[in-house]
Amino acid sequence: MKIGITCYPTYGGSGAVATELGIGLAARGHEVHFISYAQPFRLSGFHERVYFHEVEMERYPLLEHPHYTLALAAAIHDTALRESLDLIHVHYAIPHATSAWVAREMLEENGGLPLVTTLHGTDVTLVGLYSSLHPITRFSIMRSQGVTAVSEYLKEVTVRDFGVPAESIRVIPNFVDTGVFRRDRTPCHREALAPGGERIVMHVSNFRPVKRVADVIEVFAGIRRSVPARLVMAGDGPDRPRAAELAGLLGVADDVVFLGKHAAVEELLSCADLFLLTSESESFGLAALEAMACGVPVVGYRAGGLPEVVSHGEVGVLVPIGATGEATAAATELLADADLWERRSEAARAVAVESFAVERVLPHYEAYYMEVLSEGSAG
Ligand code: GMT
């Protein structure tokens, strides 16, 4: 198949999943064309059958407001014609599904272009709910020939809040390359991150309010009272200054490292001892899955689709949203008890390999594309 993929190229789960999907599909013999305003952050190195098309934004004084949605529609249209795409797969509904719908309308006389939209999270749980965006989000989802959601939770929310029929949404979970995300990677940066032999607690996110990074700091400060540990914060976003300030107020600033954005988180996760994810909403929790693949137990909040990934009591502990005391107690117990940690670490890796390995999940996308294409040709 010749597949177009549109995603946000910036640091974030939806762009990471879209990029890994494209790379995986190309490795299985498909031709993949990424269409976005910048090269996706995880698309480095050369991959056979993978191409990148940058969306061109024309400048003109009258076009005062950015018109990315239109420019993207034009780029999808042009790429589909030039490369004879069989299908366009967009990640994150807004505005990608809308642009792809416009492109498809433009391609009507050339046979159209089947559109698959993958819902990732805040496109449905936050941004798509804004009253100004709700109708167009719903319209764009409904006009997609195929719709996937990354968890059962996200599917339920989409049915409930957008009135999309349940039978038109397929749940295909996120996945991880367990050959890349693994514990026995070299080099491991343990000595640099924890020179005194401390346990390494880690958090990776875009530091948006939904991630409640202040809670990560609070839980870490609690852990540090009884376990020598360092906290590695990877990523960046609006709440980073607040988190740094809180680390100072709680007296743990010297043991908290803010690394900023990091394109190769597998290098960090492979030497972590505990992953903290205290989001108040999480449709899936790709960062937690990547940690699990590296044998890192997870402590977090029982939010959204996270329980579908982090099975409570098996690979870690999930507590109610905001229960920092419970999270601290669970994290401390895990770090202090070597046998318990070993069991959780092994289970985390096993769940990632058995349920979410890229080679298990990718065929579901391929099969779904075939279904969408065959329904299109029958209709
Ligand atoms: O960060 C992103 O790229 C998108 C982001 C969001 O804001 O929706 O993440 C979502 O997509 C990821 C990949 O499918 C999921 O693992 C995250 O759980 C989800 N984030 C939220 O639901 C808050």
Side-chain angles (χ1 to χ4, degrees), residues 12-15 17 92 120-122 150 174 206 208 210-211 281-286:
S14 60
V17 169
Y92 206 89
H120 278 274
T122 50
V150 298
N174 287 333
N206 47 31
R208 287 194 229 142
V210 75
K211 304 288 174 180
S281 169
E282 200 67 68
S283 70
F284 182 90
L286 181 69

Side-chain angles (χ1 to χ4, degrees), residues 125 150-154 157 280-285 301-311 318 356:
T125 59
V150 298
S151 63
E152 292 292 344
Y153 159 80
L154 192 60
V157 171
E280 63 191 22
S281 169
E282 200 67 68
S283 70
F284 182 90
Y301 290 158
R302 202 172 297 119
L306 197 59
E308 295 174 44
V309 184
V310 178
S311 38
L318 295 181
F356 299 105

Side-chain angles (χ1 to χ4, degrees), residues 135-210:
I136 201 164
T137 305
R138 179 175 191 279
F139 172 86
S140 309
I141 295 172
M142 295 293 280
R143 292 301 165 103
S144 304
Q145 278 70 51
V147 180
T148 76
V150 298
S151 63
E152 292 292 344
Y153 159 80
L154 192 60
K155 173 177 171 173
E156 279 164 30
V157 171
T158 309
V159 171
R160 185 190 71 200
D161 294 344
F162 290 84
V164 177
E167 59 277 14
S168 50
I169 305 177
R170 180 73 51 91
V171 174
I172 303 182
N174 287 333
F175 53 86
V176 61
D177 186 337
T178 54
V180 172
F181 287 83
R182 53 191 302 154
R183 197 151 190 84
D184 55 355
R185 284 185 72 87
T186 44
C188 169
H189 303 294
R190 182 174 277 280
E191 271 186 34
L193 295 171
E198 302 92 339
R199 308 308 298 277
I200 298 178
V201 180
M202 204 167 281
H203 173 78
V204 180
S205 82
N206 47 31
F207 290 58
R208 287 194 229 142
V210 75

Side-chain angles (χ1 to χ4, degrees), residues 16-350:
V17 169
T19 308
E20 302 289 354
L21 174 64
I23 293 171
L25 289 167
R28 293 167 72 93
H30 303 287
E31 192 175 296
V32 175
H33 294 266
F34 285 98
I35 308 164
S36 189
Y37 62 83
Q39 178 155 325
F41 76 100
R42 280 208 182 167
L43 188 60
S44 55
F46 172 75
H47 300 275
E48 212 178 329
R49 293 180 288 279
V50 172
Y51 305 87
F52 169 61
H53 307 267
E54 190 168 324
V55 176
E56 279 176 40
M57 296 282 291
E58 304 295 351
R59 306 258 165 238
Y60 185 69
L62 199 62
L63 302 173
E64 213 178 303
H65 297 284
H67 56 288
Y68 180 64
T69 306
L70 295 182
L72 176 60
I76 293 173
H77 166 267
D78 294 354
T79 310
L81 272 184
R82 203 175 42 245
E83 309 292 345
S84 305
L85 295 185
D86 294 309
L87 175 142
I88 176 82
H89 183 179
V90 302
H91 293 258
Y92 206 89
I94 311 163
H96 301 152
T98 318
S99 299
W101 174 76
V102 173
R104 203 189 58 205
E105 289 290 298
M106 292 165 72
L107 288 161
E108 199 56 52
E109 59 197 33
N110 299 88
L113 179 68
L115 161 62
V116 172
T117 297
T118 289
L119 307 171
H120 278 274
T122 50
D123 45 354
V124 164
T125 59
L126 195 70
V127 186
L129 290 179
Y130 295 161
S131 54
S132 59
L133 289 175
H134 187 273
I136 201 164
T137 305
R138 179 175 191 279
F139 172 86
S140 309
I141 295 172
M142 295 293 280
R143 292 301 165 103
S144 304
Q145 278 70 51
V147 180
T148 76
V150 298
S151 63
E152 292 292 344
Y153 159 80
L154 192 60
K155 173 177 171 173
E156 279 164 30
V157 171
T158 309
V159 171
R160 185 190 71 200
D161 294 344
F162 290 84
V164 177
E167 59 277 14
S168 50
I169 305 177
R170 180 73 51 91
V171 174
I172 303 182
N174 287 333
F175 53 86
V176 61
D177 186 337
T178 54
V180 172
F181 287 83
R182 53 191 302 154
R183 197 151 190 84
D184 55 355
R185 284 185 72 87
T186 44
C188 169
H189 303 294
R190 182 174 277 280
E191 271 186 34
L193 295 171
E198 302 92 339
R199 308 308 298 277
I200 298 178
V201 180
M202 204 167 281
H203 173 78
V204 180
S205 82
N206 47 31
F207 290 58
R208 287 194 229 142
V210 75
K211 304 288 174 180
R212 292 177 69 127
V213 284
D215 291 19
V216 173
I217 304 289
E218 205 180 313
V219 171
F220 174 70
I223 295 171
R224 263 273 277 89
R225 274 185 222 120
S226 43
V227 179
R230 301 204 85 211
L231 174 64
V232 177
M233 303 283 278
D236 209 340
D239 283 351
R240 176 172 166 177
R242 198 171 144 237
E245 193 186 320
L246 184 63
L249 286 173
L250 296 178
V252 292
D254 288 348
D255 284 321
V256 181
V257 191
F258 287 91
L259 288 180
K261 290 180 184 172
H262 207 287
V265 282
E266 65 274 13
E267 288 181 16
L268 304 171
L269 289 169
S270 58
C271 50
D273 298 306
L274 181 77
F275 191 79
L276 289 178
L277 193 59
T278 55
S279 312
E280 63 191 22
S281 169
E282 200 67 68
S283 70
F284 182 90
L286 181 69
L289 174 61
E290 292 182 338
M292 284 161 55
C294 292
V296 185
V298 178
V299 170
Y301 290 158
R302 202 172 297 119
L306 197 59
E308 295 174 44
V309 184
V310 178
S311 38
H312 174 75
E314 188 191 1
V315 309
V317 176
L318 295 181
V319 303
I321 296 168
T324 49
E326 279 182 54
T328 303
T332 306
E333 187 192 7
L334 251 170
L335 291 173
D337 182 337
D339 289 342
L340 178 67
W341 186 89
E342 198 63 47
R343 287 201 302 280
R344 299 283 181 261
S345 167
E346 274 173 23
R349 171 76 188 172

